[in-house]
C-alpha cells in the first residue's frame, strides 16, 4: 500500500520538480534547493528522495540525450504525475485549512 | 591543459555497488558538481568533495544494486543469509561482553595492549604524515625540481650543495625545452629593518625573483598579484611579519605602498603585497621576500649572470608530460658543457635535478635552505608502529586460542545446537570487533589528551587533524585504515575459530580439549615474533642512546664553555674607525668582573661555514683547484676557544685592516695542510696561497677541531683576519653564573658603543648542541615506544603463563605433595617459554645488526655496532621474562595443594 502523506524534503523536491518543468534533474534540483530554501543537501540525498517519490508514484522519469558537459553521461529527467499533483494539492489545502484556524491572538501579537 | 579528473577508484567502487540502471546518471551529476567545485576551490579540494559525495550514495539502500551492496556483503559475512541473523550477532556481542567481564585479567591484557598499540600507532602516524606531507600543497608539486650541485677537485667531492651559480637556471631554460618555468632565490639571512623610526628584527628573509610567487603557491592576501617582486627595492611580507608593523587601528592593506628600510645604503623597500605565512609543512620558510632586482641593483650584474658566485637556489618546473629521465640525462651533461673540467669555477661541476618531494626528507645536501628530516627515521618510526600493533594483535590471537579450553564448553553447546563453522568464526569476529572497537575509541581519547605534551616532546608542529585529511596514494587515509582494520580483525578471528571448530563436539562438552600440533607451532611462532620485535627495539634504542652519548663525550678539539654570542652591530657603518672602536668595546667588556675574553668571528661552532674554491699554491703551480672552508676571525679566536697552535704564530692585531686588500695573512688547520699537500705543518709556514690575483701568507697552523656536529667529518679550514659589522661577538665568561649576572652590563655597553643597533644573543653551547636535537628527539620517541612494545609483549607472556598454570593447577599440587620444590616447578613450566624467548633473541641478532649498522653509517664519527649491547638487551629481556613467570608461578604454588586437589 502506498503511503499518501509527504515528508518535508519530499514536498520541497516535488514542488521544485514541478517548477523546473521538463528540466528537472539531480544537480539542478540540488542547486535549486540550496538557493531557494537556503539549506545544504548532498546529491545522494536528492536522488534517494527522487527514487522514493517515484516508487510512490508521484514522479515519473525519462532519459535525456548524452551531453559533453557531463562527460558523455545522460541525465535522468523527472516530471510530476497526476498523483503527484493531487498529493501536492491535498497538502496545500490541508495547510491552508490549518492556517485559517489560527487567530492572530495565538502568536501573542493581539 | 587537461581537465582535472575525479578519482577513478571511487567510480569503480560505486559502479559495482550502485544500481546498474541508475549509476550513469549519478556519475554524470557528480561530474557536473566536480567541475563546478574545481572552478570554485581547485582540483584538490574538489576531488576530496567528490569522494565524500560519491561515497554518500552508499548510505541509501534504495540506490544500491541489490546483489552486491557492501553493507549486505558485510551482513552476510557476519550472520549468514538473512537479516534476522543480525540478532544472532548481537547475541555474540552479548556473550563476548559477559566473557570479558568474567575474565577481567584477559580483558585487561588484551585491552591495555590494544589501547597502547593503537595510541602509539596513531601518534607515530601523525608524525609520519606530517613529515611526508611537506611541500605537497603546491599545485604543481610533482613537476617541481630543485637544481643541486656536486663539485669535485682532484677527484674529491668538495661540495655537495643546494646552492649554485645565478646563471644556471636561466641557461637551463634556454637550452632545455622541457623546462616550463624557473625561479631563483638566495637567503637574505637575518635583517634589521627600520620602519616608522623603529628597528625590527627579521629572522628569515629571501631574496627572490619575480617568478617566485607564481611558481610556488603562497597565496597573496593583500596587494595586487601582478608583477610582484619585479621592481628593484620592493618587498613582500608574510601575514605574521606584517602584523608586527601595524599601528593601533591599522589593517594589513594599510601597509601596501609604505616603505621599509632594509639596507643601510640604497633606497628603502616598498611593500607591494602581503602573502599568507608559509604552511608549517613547507621546506621554504620565510618572513619577507625582497625582490631579486634589488640585489642586482646593489651588487651589480654578477648576481644575475655570474659563473663563480654560488649562493643561489634554483627551482625549475618541467612541462606537463615531459620526459624527466631524458631531462635528467641532459642536465648531467650540463657541467661538462659549461664548466669545462674546472676551468671556469675551479671545480668540476655536476648538476642534478632533485624532485621537490625529496627536498625535506631525502636530502643530504649542504647549505640547505630549510630544516630537513631524515627519511630513514620516518620509516623506522613506521616500523615501530607496525611492530607495536602486531604485538598487541598477537596477544589477542594467542590468548583467544589458548583459552580455547575455557571457551570450549560454550562452543560445544553452540555446536550441538547446530551452529555452523562460519558462525563460530562470527563469534570470534564479534569478540574482536568489540574489544578492538573499545580499544580504538579509548586510544583516540588518549591521543587527543597527550597531543600537547607530544608536540612539545618532538618539537614538531603536528596536528591531530592530519589523520582525517591525509591520504595514501590518493586514497583517504581513513578509508585505508578502516579497510586494514577490518581486514586484520577478520584475519585474527579466523584462526581461533578454526582451532575451536576443529574440536569434536562430544569431547568438548566433556571438557577434554587438546590443541592440535599445528596450533601449538603457530602459537610458538607468534611468541617468537613478539620477543624478536621487542629485542630489535631494545637494541635499537640502546644503540641510539650510546651513539648520542658517544658524540657528546668526544674531544671536540676546542672549548666553547660559558660563551655568549652577540650578533654584530649590523646597522653601524664599516669605516676606518670600526676596528679600533671594536677593540675599545672589547677592552671595556673585559674590565667587567667575570668576563675573561672577547673575540669576533664570521661564524661560531655549529654554523655552516663559507667556502673558497679557486685556491692554488704559489710555490707549486701543479697544486691547484683547492678549496677550503673559511672563518673570518680576529687574533683572540684561537686562545679564547683553547684551540692548539701547532706551528708558526697566531694572528696579530696588525694582520687586520679596514682595507680588505691589505689583509693577506691566514692560518690553516691540519686537514688543510694535508689537503694542500704540504709535507708537514712546519713546512707550510711562510708559504703562499693564491686566490684570483691575491696571495696570502700562511703564518700559522692550528689543530683540527669539530666546527660542526659529529655527523660530519672535519674539513679544511682557514682563519682569515677580515673584519665586518656582521661578525658575531663571542664573550667568554668565567663561569656559568657570570653569564646571567653580566648580561645587563654587557648589553648596556653594547648600546653605548653601538647606538641604534638591536642587541640579540645566544649561548654558544646551546646552539652547538642543537645540532643533536633531532637525534635526541628520535631517541626519546624510540625509548617511549620501545617501552610500550616490551610492556605489551610481557603482558602477553603473563597471560600465556597464567593459562598454562590454570590448566596445570592439579599437576602442580600433586608434584608439591610428592615433595617437589618451588624452583623445579618454575623450571618445568618456564623452560618452554624461555626456550622460545632465547630463540627470538637469537633470530633478532642479524636483523638488529644490519639495521643499526646502516643507521650508524649516517655519522662520520660513530661508535660502531657494539656487540655487548645485544648481550645486555638479551639479558634484560630474559630477566624480566623469568621474573614474570616466577612471580606468577609462585602465586599458585604458594597455595595449599590440598585446596587445588579438593575439587574433582
Amino acid at each position: 500500500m502506498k503511503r499518501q502523506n509527504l515528508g518535508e524534503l519530499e514536498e520541497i523536491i516535488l514542488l521544485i520538480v514541478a517548477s523546473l518543468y521538463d528540466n528537472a534533474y539531480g544537480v539542478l534540483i540540488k542547486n535549486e534547493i540550496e538557493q531557494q530554501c537556503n539549506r545544504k543537501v548532498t546529491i545522494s540525498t536528492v536522488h534517494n528522495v527522487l527514487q522514493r517519490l517515484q516508487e510512490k508514484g508521484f514522479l515519473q522519469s525519462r532519459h535525456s540525450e548524452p551531453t559533453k558537459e557531463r562527460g558523455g553521461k545522460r541525465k535522468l529527467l523527472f516530471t510530476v504525475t497526476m498523483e503527484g499533483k493531487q498529493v501536492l494539492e491535498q497538502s496545500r489545502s490541508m495547510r491552508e485549512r490549518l492556517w485559517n484556524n489560527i487567530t492572530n491572538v495565538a502568536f501573542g501579537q493581539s | 591543459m587537461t581537465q582535472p579528473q575525479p578519482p577513478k577508484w571511487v567510480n569503480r567502487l560505486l559502479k559495482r555497488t550502485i544500481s546498474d540502471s541508475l549509476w550513469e546518471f549519478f556519475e554524470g551529476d557528480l561530474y557536473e558538481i566536480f567541475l563546478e567545485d574545481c572552478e570554485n576551490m581547485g582540483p584538490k579540494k574538489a576531488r576530496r568533495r567528490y569522494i565524500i559525495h560519491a561515497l554518500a550514495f552508499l548510505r541509501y539502500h534504495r540506490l544500491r544494486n541489490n546483489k552486491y551492496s557492501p553493507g549486505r556483503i558485510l551482513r552476510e559475512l557476519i550472520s549468514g543469509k538473512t537479516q534476522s541473523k543480525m540478532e544472532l550477532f548481537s547475541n555474540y556481542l552479548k556473550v563476548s561482553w559477559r566473557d570479558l567481564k568474567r575474565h577481567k585479567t584477559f580483558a585487561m591484557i588484551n585491552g591495555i595492549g590494544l589501547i597502547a598499540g593503537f595510541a602509539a600507532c596513531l601518534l607515530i602516524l601523525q608524525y609520519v604524515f606530517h613529515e611526508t606531507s611537506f611541500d605537497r600543497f603546491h599545485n604543481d608539486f610533482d613537476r617541481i625540481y630543485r637544481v643541486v650541485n656536486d663539485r669535485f677537485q682532484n677527484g674529491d667531492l668538495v661540495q655537495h650543495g643546494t646552492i649554485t651559480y645565478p646563471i644556471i637556471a636561466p641557461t637551463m631554460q634556454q637550452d632545455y625545452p622541457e623546462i616550463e618555468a624557473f625561479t631563483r632565490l638566495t637567503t637574505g639571512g637575518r635583517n634589521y629593518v627600520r620602519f616608522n623610526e623603529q628597528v625590527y628584527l627579521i629572522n628569515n628573509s629571501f631574496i627572490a625573483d619575480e617568478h617566485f610567487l607564481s611558481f610556488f603557491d603562497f597565496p597573496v592576501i593583500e596587494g595586487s598579484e601582478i608583477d610582484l617582486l619585479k621592481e628593484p627595492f620592493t618587498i613582500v611580507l608574510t601575514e605574521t611579519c606584517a602584523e608586527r608593523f601595524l599601528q593601533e587601528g591599522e589593517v594589513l592593506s594599510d601597509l601596501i605602498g609604505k616603505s621599509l628600510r632594509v639596507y643601510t645604503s640604497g633606497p628603502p623597500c616598498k611593500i607591494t603585497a602581503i602573502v599568507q605565512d608559509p604552511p608549517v609543512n613547507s621546506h621554504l620558510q620565510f618572513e619577507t621576500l625582497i625582490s631579486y632586482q634589488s640585489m642586482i641593483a646593489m651588487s651589480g650584474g654578477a648576481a644575475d649572470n655570474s659563473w663563480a658566485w654560488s649562493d643561489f637556489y634554483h627551482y625549475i618546473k618541467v612541462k606537463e608530460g615531459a620526459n624527466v629521465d631524458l631531462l635528467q640525462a641532459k642536465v648531467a651533461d650540463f657541467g661538462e658543457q659549461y664548466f669545462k673540467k674546472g676551468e671556469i669555477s675551479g671545480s668540476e661541476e655536476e648538476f642534478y635535478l632533485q624532485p621537490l618531494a625529496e627536498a625535506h626528507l631525502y636530502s643530504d645536501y649542504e647549505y640547505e635552505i630549510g630544516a630537513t628530516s631524515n627519511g630513514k627515521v620516518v620509516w623506522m618510526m613506521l616500523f615501530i608502529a607496525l611492530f607495536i600493533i602486531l604485538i598487541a594483535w598477537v596477544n589477542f590471537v594467542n590468548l583467544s586460542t589458548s583459552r580455547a579450553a575455557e571457551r570450549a564448553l560454550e562452543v560445544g553447546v553452540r555446536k550441538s545446537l547446530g551452529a555452523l563453522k562460519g558462525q563460530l568464526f562470527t563469534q570470534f569476529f564479534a569478540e574482536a570487533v568489540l574489544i578492538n572497537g573499545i580499544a580504538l575509541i579509548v586510544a583516540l581519547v588518549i591521543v587527543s589528551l597527550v597531543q600537547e605534551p607530544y608536540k612539545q616532546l618532538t618539537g614538531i608542529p603536528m596536528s591531530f587533524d592530519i589523520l582525517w585529511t591525509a591520504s595514501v596514494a590518493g586514497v583517504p587515509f581513513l578509508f585505508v585504515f578502516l579497510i586494514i582494520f577490518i581486514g586484520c580483525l577478520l584475519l585474527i578471528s579466523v584462526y581461533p575459530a578454526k582451532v575451536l571448530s576443529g574440536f569434536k563436539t562430544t569431547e568438548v562438552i566433556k571438557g577434554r580439549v587438546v590443541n592440535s600440533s599445528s596450533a601449538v607451532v603457530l602459537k610458538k611462532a607468534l611468541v617468537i615474533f613478539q620477543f624478536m620485535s621487542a629485542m630489535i627495539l631494545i637494541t635499537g634504542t640502546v644503540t641510539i642512546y650510546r651513539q648520542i652519548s658517544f658524540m657528546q663525550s668526544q674531544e671536540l678539539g676546542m672549548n666553547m664553555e660559558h660563551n655568549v654570542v652577540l650578533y654584530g652591530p649590523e646597522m653601524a657603518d664599516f669605516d676606518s674607525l670600526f676596528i679600533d672602536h671594536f677593540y675599545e668595546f672589547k677592552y671595556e667588556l673585559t674590565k667587567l668582573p667575570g668576563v675573561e675574553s672577547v673575540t669576533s668571528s664570521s661564524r661560531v661552532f655549529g654554523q655552516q661555514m663559507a667556502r673558497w674554491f679557486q685556491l692554488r699554491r704559489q710555490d707549486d703551480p701543479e697544486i691547484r683547484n683547492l678549496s677550503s672552508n673559511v672563518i673570518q676571525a680576529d687574533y683572540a679566536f684561537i686562545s679564547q676557544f683553547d684551540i692548539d697552535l701547532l706551528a708558526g704564530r697566531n694572528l696579530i692585531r696588525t694582520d687586520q685592516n679596514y682595507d680588505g686588500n691589505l689583509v693577506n695573512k691566514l692560518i690553516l688547520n691540519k686537514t688543510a695542510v694535508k689537503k694542500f699537500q704540504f709535507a708537514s705543518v712546519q713546512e707550510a709556514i711562510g708559504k703562499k696561497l693564491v686566490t684570483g690575483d691575491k696571495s696570502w701568507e700562511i703564518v700559522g697552523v692550528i689543530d683540527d677541531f669539530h666546527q660542526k656536529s659529529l655527523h660530519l667529518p672535519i674539513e679544511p679550514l682557514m682563519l682569515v683576519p677580515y673584519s665586518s659589522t656582521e661578525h658575531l661577538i663571542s664573550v667568554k665568561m668565567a663561569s656559568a653564573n657570570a653569564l646571567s649576572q653580566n648580561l645587563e652590563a654587557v648589553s648596556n655597553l653594547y648600546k653605548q658603543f653601538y647606538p641604534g643597533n638591536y642587541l640579540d644573543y645566544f649561548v654558544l653551547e646551546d646552539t652547538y648542541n642543537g645540532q643533536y636535537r633531532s637525534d635526541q628527539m628520535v631517541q626519546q620517541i624510540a625509548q617511549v615506544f620501545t617501552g610500550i612494545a616490551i610492556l605489551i609483549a610481557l603482558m602477553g607472556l603473563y597471560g600465556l603463563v597464567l593459562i598454562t598454570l590454570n590448566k596445570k593447577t592439579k599437576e602442580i599440587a600433586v608434584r608439591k605433595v610428592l615433595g617437589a620444590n618451588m624452583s623445579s616447578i618454575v623450571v618445568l613450566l618456564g623452560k618452554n617459554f624461555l626456550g622460545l624467548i632465547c630463540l627470538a633473541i637469537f633470530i633478532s641478532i642479524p636483523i638488529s645488526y644490519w639495521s643499526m649498522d646502516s643507521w650508524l653509517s649516517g655519522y662520520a664519527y660513530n661508535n660502531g655496532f657494539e656487540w655487548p649491547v645485544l648481550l645486555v638487551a638479551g639479558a634484560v629481556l630474559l630477566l624480566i621474562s623469568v621474573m614474570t613467570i616466577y612471580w606468577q608461578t609462585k602465586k599458585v604454588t604458594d597455595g595449599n595443594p590440598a585446596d587445588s586437589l579438593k575439587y574433582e
Side-chain angles (χ1 to χ4, degrees), chain B residues 166 205 371 451 500 590 696 707 844 858:
Chain B
S205 68
Q451 191 68 26
L500 269 189
T590 44
W696 296 83
Q707 158 71 19
S844 78

Side-chain angles (χ1 to χ4, degrees), chain B residues 421-433:
Chain B
K421 272 193 181 184
Q423 290 169 324
L424 278 175
F425 160 74
T426 317
Q427 165 76 63
F428 281 94
F429 185 65
E431 215 170 303
V433 168

Side-chain angles (χ1 to χ4, degrees), chain B residues 762-872:
Chain B
F762 57 89
V763 177
L764 183 50
E765 271 179 296
D766 294 352
T767 313
Y768 191 84
N769 291 332
Q771 297 178 97
Y772 298 120
R773 198 167 296 136
S774 72
D775 292 320
Q776 273 158 345
M777 182 205 84
V778 170
Q779 186 225 335
Q780 276 166 341
I781 297 185
Q783 228 166 8
V784 171
F785 291 127
T786 304
I788 293 176
I790 296 169
L791 196 75
I792 301 174
L794 281 179
M795 284 198 305
L797 180 71
Y798 172 83
L800 286 178
V801 172
L802 203 64
I803 293 166
T804 321
L805 283 172
N806 283 349
K807 278 191 210 152
K808 296 197 171 173
T809 319
K810 270 186 198 144
E811 185 190 325
I812 292 168
V814 171
R815 279 175 193 275
K816 269 189 85 175
V817 169
L818 294 177
N821 61 11
M822 171 72 195
S823 56
S824 65
I825 294 173
V826 173
V827 169
L828 184 81
L829 286 171
K831 68 176 186 226
N832 276 337
F833 289 117
L834 293 183
L836 293 181
I837 293 168
C838 286
L839 192 59
I841 292 174
F842 188 70
I843 298 175
S844 78
I845 291 175
I847 307 177
S848 301
Y849 174 74
W850 172 77
S851 56
M852 280 301 108
D853 204 49
S854 78
W855 184 78
L856 284 171
S857 66
Y859 296 83
Y861 298 87
N862 69 55
N863 232 357
F865 185 76
E866 299 173 300
W867 293 98
V869 168
L870 276 178
L871 217 64
V872 173

Side-chain angles (χ1 to χ4, degrees), chain A residues 4-18:
Chain A
Q4 287 303 314
N5 56 334
L6 280 173
E8 194 215 358
L9 188 62
E10 285 180 334
E11 190 172 349
I12 290 173
I13 289 182
L14 206 51
L15 285 167
I16 285 174
V17 171

Side-chain angles (χ1 to χ4, degrees), chain A residues 2 16-18 27-28 34 40-41 51 55 61-65 69 71 73-74 82 86 94 104:
Chain A
K2 286 176 197 162
I16 285 174
V17 171
V27 181
L28 198 57
E34 280 169 5
K40 287 257 174 227
V41 285
Q51 289 302 318
E55 279 168 32
S61 64
R62 67 197 156 77
H63 306 156
S64 75
E65 287 306 307
E69 301 83 67
K73 304 287 186 292
R74 294 176 295 176
M82 275 313 289
Q86 272 169 13
M94 179 193 75
N104 265 351

Side-chain angles (χ1 to χ4, degrees), chain B residues 36-102:
Chain B
E36 203 178 299
D37 283 351
C38 271
E39 238 159 68
N40 294 336
M41 46 194 105
K44 234 179 235 173
K45 203 157 175 206
R47 222 167 272 148
R48 201 148 62 221
R49 283 172 57 105
Y50 185 91
I51 296 170
I52 294 169
H53 283 152
L55 291 182
F57 273 99
L58 295 174
R59 287 182 297 178
Y60 299 112
H61 67 91
R62 186 172 278 110
L63 307 181
R64 283 195 304 251
N65 189 334
N66 286 335
K67 262 183 275 170
Y68 296 110
S69 77
R72 188 157 180 153
I73 292 171
L74 198 66
R75 247 179 285 136
E76 278 178 18
L77 261 176
I78 290 168
S79 60
K81 290 275 144 58
T82 61
Q83 206 162 355
S84 72
K85 295 230 170 120
M86 268 311 273
E87 284 164 28
L88 202 55
F89 190 68
S90 69
N91 174 267
Y92 291 144
L93 281 179
K94 198 192 283 169
V95 174
S96 302
W97 179 242
R98 286 177 187 159
D99 186 66
L100 285 180
K101 278 208 301 200
R102 208 171 333 130

Side-chain angles (χ1 to χ4, degrees), chain B residues 319-382:
Chain B
K319 286 184 182 146
E320 224 154 339
N323 184 342
V324 178
D325 292 332
L326 189 70
L327 180 62
Q328 288 275 18
K330 289 186 194 171
V331 168
D333 293 332
F334 186 87
E336 181 91 44
Q337 186 187 346
Y338 284 98
F339 287 89
K340 307 193 176 87
K341 290 210 176 286
E343 272 173 42
I344 305 294
S345 61
S347 332
E348 283 171 52
E349 309 268 345
E350 273 180 26
F351 293 87
Y352 312 94
L353 298 179
Q354 177 189 43
L356 191 56
E358 291 177 9
H360 175 70
L361 266 194
Y362 303 101
S363 189
D364 59 346
Y365 289 91
E366 300 169 289
Y367 304 101
E368 279 290 352
I369 196 162
T372 56
S373 290
N374 186 345
K376 267 191 210 161
V377 169
V378 174
W379 282 105
M380 195 173 89
M381 290 292 170
L382 204 59

Side-chain angles (χ1 to χ4, degrees), chain B residues 130-149:
Chain B
H130 173 77
E131 291 293 342
T132 50
S133 71
F134 266 73
D135 299 317
R136 284 175 196 272
F137 61 91
H138 297 300
N139 263 331
D140 301 323
F141 166 77
D142 321 330
R143 295 194 283 128
I144 299 177
Y145 294 79
R146 178 161 71 173
V147 180
V148 290
N149 167 226

